[in-house]
Structures are given as C-alpha cells and as structure tokens.
Amino acid sequence: MTTALGELDLLLTDHHVHSTWSDDAVSAPMENLVAARDTGLASIRMVDHVRTTTTWVPGFLAEISALPRVEGLEVLTGVEAKILDASGRLDVPDDLVVGAGGVDRVLIADHQFPGPDGPWSPRRTLEELAAGLPAEDALSILVTATVRAMERAGRGQLAHLFSLLPKIGLHESELLDEHVAAIADAAVRTGTTVEVNEKWRCPGPRVVLQLAAAGVTLVGSTDSHEATTVGRYSWVAEAASATRLVGTR
Amino acid sequence: MSDSSPTRVLVTGAGGPAGIAVLRSLARRDDVVLLAADMDRYASGLYLVDAGARHLVRPGLSEEFVDHLVGLCERERVDVLFSTVDVELPRLAAERKRLAAVGTTLAAPSLETLEVCLDKYALAQRCTGVVRTPRTALLGETDPDSWDYPVIVKPRRGAGSRGVHLVEDAAALRALGSDEDILVQANLPGDEYSVDTLADADGTVVAAVPRSRLRVDSGVSVAGSTVADPELEETARQVAAAVGLVGVANVQLRRDAEGRPALLEVNPRFPGAMPLTVAAGVDMPSLALDLALERPLPASVPFRELAVVRYLEDVFVPLADVVSEEDAR
C-alpha cells in the first residue's frame, strides 16, 4: 500500500532551502533554482531565517519573484522562525505578511525548547528534567507549543519536527500516540505541512506514518545551505521507501 | 546532549592553518560531527567538511559578528565552538553566556586570560617575577638611550609576526615617536621556541610541548621539531599558571644571553603548527573538546621528539561545489 501524499511525491519536493538571505548560507537564490532544476525537482521552497528584528523580507520576496521561470518547477517562499515559548509565540517580525503579497508559509522551528518563560537552552532543559520534570510533561509542553505555533502561523510548515529531542536527551520513541495525534490534528486543521528533513533525519518513520495516515501533507526538506545539497536525499529516500510512502526509486 | 547523539563542533577560521589543524584532528573522532566557518568562501577548510556543514560568517571585527554567530550556533545546534581567529576570541569569550544559552560551549580560555595575553605589555607585567622576561617598555615611556641595541619593536596588541621589527639604534627608536601602542623589548640572542600548552579546568597543565621553529614563512612554522626540555616545559607551566590558562595556548619563549628561556608572548589559541604536537602524541584539539564537554582529562600526556616539514596540500572539488562570487552579500 502506498499512502496518499497529496499532489507530489515528497522526493520531488524540497521545501526548505536557504540562500544568502540567511546569514550563514552560501548559495544565492538563483543558484538554488538552477540546482533544483538540475536535480529534477517539481517544487522548491526558498526559505530564510528571520527573527523579530528582521527587515529584509520584502527584498527577499522581490528577488525570488524576479527569478526566471523554470518549466515544471514550482517556486514557493517561506521564512523560518523558532518557537519562543510554550504559548507558541514565533520569532517573526510584527509586520510579516503571510499569504497574498507576503511569504507563502512560516516554517516553525524547534531551535530551542519552548519553556513557559521563554526559550530554554538544552542545558537548562536537561537540568529541569534531572530536577524532576517528567519526560512526558516536557514532550507535552513541546507538542502543545508546536500546536499553538501552527495556529498562530496561519499557514505554517513544521521544520525538522522533533530534531530537538536528541539534544535534550529524549527520543521520538518516548512520544505518546496522543502527542503525534495532536500534531496531526492541528496540521490538518490549519493546513500546516510537515517536513521530512534530510539534514536532521527527522521525524522518524513512526511519526511520519501516523501523520500521513491522518492526512497531513508531507514535504521533503534538505534544509540546504548550499546549492549542491538541494533536493539530494538519502535518509529521506530510504525512510520514505521503507515505509512505502513512495515507490522504490 | 545525550551520550548517544554525536557532538556537533563548529570551527571558525577554517581557512587558516590553525583552523585546518583543529578540523583534521577532530575529524578522526567518530563521536563528532564537524561544521566549518570562515568569512572567505575560498577558505580551504570549508571543503574538508560535508557540503551541508559549510558556513560563511561575518568578519570578526564587524558589528554583527557575535549576533550572527550565536544565531548560527543555535540553528545548527552547535555543542562546542572552536574559534581559531585572534580578533574573534575576546568578543566570543565576552558572550560566553549568550552562547551557553543556545547550548554552545566556547572552547577558549577565559576572557580575563585572553585580555592579558592579547595585551603584550600587560602580559610582560603579569609574568615579570614569575618567569624570566626580557626588559619591556612602552615606546612613549622609555628613554631610547637606556637600551642595548638592537631592540625589538612590536605592536602592543596584534597577531603573528605583523608589525614586529628590529631597531638598530637610539636615533632610529627616537624617530618612531611616542606611540603608546608600540612596545620596545630587549632582543634576546638565543633560540626561539613555541610551547603548545594545555591546562585543564583547574588550571593544571596536562601537557606543554616545546617546538623549535626551524623555518618560518609568513609567521607560520613550515619546518620544526618537538624538543624535550624540562626547563622550557616548566617555564610554559609557570606562564600558564600566571595567566590563569584553562584550555590551549601557545607560549613563545626565547633563550637569553645565559641560555635561559624567557617569555616573549602568549598566543591564547591553537597555533598553525599544531599538527606536529598532535603527531608527537598530544592531540590538543581533541583534549580541548573533552575539556569543553566537562569530561575528565588525563593528569598528564607525554610527547615524543619528532620533526616535521610542511607543504601546501590541494583539495579538489567539483566546480559546482565552489561557492561562486555572486553569493557574496
């Protein structure tokens, strides 16, 4: 059985590609576009990192919209922002426009643990866990913050979902089915897409299958910072074919 | 981090010999994922790591350098940051807490140690009476007629051999004016040594490996050998204690007229010639990583006498892999 994935095979998508608009990436949007064409992608999302103080989003969008059209290649936009706290507040500029005239989606990132009082460093999180915060409660805080962030984002995409867990000594296997179901429900309800991320190798097959079964739209993501890695999948391809999400390639 | 997930290490200054030395050392560890950064897209060390792990950073003196690097460390989940660039080090050490708040440990000596080492006049004052030091004064505060010539003149702050030169007589010294940022130092006649020194979290020196610089090109040793000499090692230990060293520094010594080692300066970072020290038995980048991860270090690590000659090496990459000029922003 092949689970329905919406319109596109996720290996033909790369919905998380950074350019020089992100501080640390090395390739220009044009180079990423060429790489996407040469790799045979059907859809690419150009994404750069923002925070509340970011002012360059209009310039970024202008550059993407000025790129030459490539037949058979859809070009989408996004900004990536971290979840700041347990309320799901996102690290985006106040004047960010999402949808018509703005970015197509906000990528919701678990760069830090979204604590009740703001971002917790991995060390702080480990200390809280060691001091008695049950792992299940920590996972619930993270899942609830993620659900709230999806509601706030409007049109969101979960970037490298659960990539935080190894850094705080936890593993996806500790997630309850209810946790995954809450993410899936919110993703369907809000139209949020979820990445299967090559760079951070997450989420794992169990979560991916549960999300797919719930009708969540899954997209491929390399989290590329350099054109040579755009659309290049190994872990995602294996995970996807192993879980029969796509045919063997 | 959990014991099962690999340690993510970012090395800045990937284009310099020190950055490459750190990258090559840590590449041998199977518990490490390496990331490399430099301000220059042609920095060769970038191409020693996976394509997805290459990052550009702002110049170490630019206003946004720290914000930008903290952001990079957060997004890339960097566990340990090694900076091999002099101008970056004090700025990063001053922001150690901000780095810690995003989960990144800076593998560098304390800000206090960096400041005393990067100010060669402060260093000479700190170490006078602890170890032998050549007579040292600020250009504007010294009588040119009171020196034996030639003397060494060098910037009070500065890296490598930049701005260091010999002055032949009092008239020439007088002609240099009274710049407070210039040091005058007695020119010691003996051989010069670089002692790679690693101190643990308590300041106990785990290893001090003297190297003779048999040939130097542009401030980088291109031929050298390790030298087992207890007096050189002991001098470096005393200097490390005097500056409160935790981590790695390179202590530069020179023998005086009596053949006794005296302190020239301390570079509080990894030297470009580090591969010799690694090959001689003391893998300082790896030990410094263990130190940053709060793992116990051995009480002492021995080295053997070994010589090295060095050559430029090539990294061949497909054209498409080289970051092109248009990427600059």
Side-chain angles (χ1 to χ4, degrees):
Chain A
M1 183 195 80
T2 298
T3 309
L5 283 176
E7 292 173 14
L8 289 173
D9 180 335
L10 88 172
L11 296 183
L12 295 179
T13 67
D14 190 344
H15 277 203
H16 192 152
V17 174
H18 291 286
S19 78
T20 42
W21 288 92
S22 285
D23 287 336
D24 54 342
V26 292
S27 296
M30 182 64 190
E31 284 185 307
N32 290 330
L33 182 76
V34 169
R37 180 198 67 192
D38 293 349
T39 315
L41 289 182
S43 179
I44 181 173
R45 185 182 302 283
M46 309 265 192
V47 175
D48 281 298
H49 295 291
V50 294
R51 51 184 61 193
T52 53
T53 52
T54 298
T55 56
W56 47 253
V57 173
F60 162 72
L61 290 172
E63 179 165 344
I64 304 301
S65 69
L67 289 173
R69 303 272 174 269
V70 176
E71 200 184 327
L73 177 60
E74 171 188 44
V75 178
L76 304 167
T77 60
V79 291
E80 180 178 7
K82 74 169 176 247
I83 310 171
L84 286 168
D85 59 29
S87 76
R89 201 157 52 87
L90 287 161
D91 196 1
V92 292
D94 283 341
D95 59 356
L96 182 72
V97 178
V98 182
V103 296
D104 296 323
R105 282 186 190 273
V106 177
L107 275 67
I108 298 165
D110 57 346
H111 290 141
Q112 299 285 330
F113 185 84
D117 54 346
W120 287 3
S121 71
R123 179 178 289 245
R124 163 96 189 267
T125 313
L126 288 165
E127 286 167 1
E128 298 280 353
L129 288 163
L133 175 67
E136 191 184 319
D137 290 4
L139 292 169
S140 294
I141 294 171
L142 177 63
V143 165
T144 304
T146 305
V147 167
R148 288 173 177 162
M150 285 191 257
E151 288 161 352
R152 284 172 183 261
R155 295 163 58 86
Q157 171 173 318
L158 296 186
H160 45 69
L161 178 64
F162 299 131
S163 68
L164 176 70
L165 296 186
K167 188 96 177 183
I168 57 173
L170 300 177
H171 188 268
E172 281 184 31
S173 62
E174 294 171 78
L175 289 161
L176 304 178
D177 283 343
E178 296 91 280
H179 289 139
V180 184
I183 299 268
D185 288 349
V188 170
R189 177 161 46 82
T190 58
T192 303
T193 55
V194 179
E195 295 175 10
V196 186
N197 188 295
E198 175 73 27
K199 179 173 176 175
W200 300 100
R201 303 189 168 197
C202 66
R206 169 199 161 205
V207 172
V208 166
L209 276 178
Q210 200 175 331
L211 294 176
V216 175
T217 302
L218 297 168
V219 293
S221 151
T222 58
D223 210 341
S224 167
H225 287 64
E226 203 193 47
T228 51
T229 59
V230 170
R232 307 271 180 189
Y233 294 113
S234 59
W235 181 84
V236 170
E238 280 175 31
S241 59
T243 53
R244 296 173 180 271
L245 286 174
V246 296
T248 306
R249 297 168 71 84
Chain B
M1 92 225 58
S2 71
D3 290 339
S4 56
S5 70
T7 303
R8 296 175 63 82
V9 178
L10 173 63
V11 180
T12 69
I20 287 170
V22 173
L23 286 166
R24 287 173 59 199
S25 160
L26 297 180
R28 289 193 284 269
R29 287 181 60 148
D30 57 13
D31 59 341
V32 167
V33 171
L34 277 176
L35 297 84
D38 199 280
M39 56 182 276
D40 176 7
R41 64 202 63 253
Y42 295 119
S44 48
L46 292 177
Y47 301 94
L48 298 178
V49 302
D50 293 339
R54 300 168 190 160
H55 296 279
L56 295 183
V57 291
R58 305 296 162 86
L61 288 173
S62 71
E63 199 177 316
E64 67 272 31
F65 168 74
V66 172
D67 284 348
H68 168 241
L69 196 61
V70 170
L72 173 61
C73 287
E74 178 184 59
R75 293 188 299 270
E76 292 297 323
R77 303 198 191 292
V78 173
D79 295 301
V80 179
L81 170 63
F82 283 76
S83 167
T84 65
V85 182
D86 279 304
V87 296
E88 293 178 1
L89 279 166
R91 298 193 66 188
L92 292 173
E95 303 279 6
R96 208 180 278 269
K97 282 185 182 165
R98 267 180 74 194
L99 286 163
V102 299
T104 304
T105 302
L106 177 65
S110 71
L111 181 59
E112 200 271 337
T113 297
L114 294 174
E115 283 179 340
V116 76
C117 294
L118 294 172
D119 177 347
K120 291 165 191 170
Y121 187 60
L123 178 73
Q125 290 183 308
R126 174 75 65 93
C127 292
T128 299
V130 177
V131 296
R132 286 167 180 255
T133 52
R135 181 186 168 200
T136 303
L138 296 173
L139 179 62
E141 295 179 355
T142 190
D143 174 7
D145 293 324
S146 66
W147 293 81
D148 292 327
Y149 288 87
V151 294
I152 291 281
V153 166
K154 56 182 164 188
R156 180 170 175 172
R157 297 176 178 83
S161 56
R162 273 165 277 193
V164 181
H165 60 278
L166 274 176
V167 170
E168 294 296 337
D169 55 40
L173 188 62
R174 207 169 269 116
L176 290 176
S178 59
D179 191 334
E180 291 263 312
D181 285 332
I182 302 284
L183 278 190
V184 185
Q185 198 163 62
N187 181 38
L188 301 181
D191 291 332
E192 191 171 322
Y193 301 88
S194 281
V195 189
D196 294 337
T197 306
L198 169 69
D200 69 14
D202 300 324
T204 304
V205 172
V206 171
V209 183
R211 289 183 282 107
S212 68
R213 288 146 59 99
L214 301 174
R215 179 158 298 161
V216 176
D217 186 352
S218 306
V220 175
S221 170
V222 292
S225 65
T226 51
V227 180
D229 181 323
E231 193 179 20
L232 293 171
E233 292 171 45
E234 184 53 28
T235 305
R237 281 171 196 275
Q238 289 170 335
V239 170
V243 300
L245 179 68
V246 172
V248 172
N250 170 251
V251 178
Q252 305 219 295
L253 306 176
R254 193 161 192 170
R255 293 192 194 278
D256 64 14
E258 295 159 24
R260 306 291 303 280
L263 174 66
L264 293 185
E265 52 194 71
V266 177
N267 298 311
R269 57 168 171 79
F270 289 90
M274 178 54 68
L276 172 58
T277 295
V278 174
V282 188
D283 191 340
M284 286 194 184
S286 184
L287 290 162
L289 177 60
D290 287 336
L291 175 65
L293 294 171
E294 298 179 5
R295 292 176 186 160
L297 300 189
S300 81
V301 181
F303 69 92
R304 63 196 171 101
E305 290 197 301
L306 191 67
V308 65
V309 290
R310 310 181 81 194
Y311 60 96
L312 278 171
E313 201 171 350
D314 309 296
V315 180
F316 300 103
V317 290
L319 262 183
D321 273 21
V322 177
V323 179
S324 72
E325 283 300 334
E326 298 94 71
D327 301 343
R329 185 182 301 277

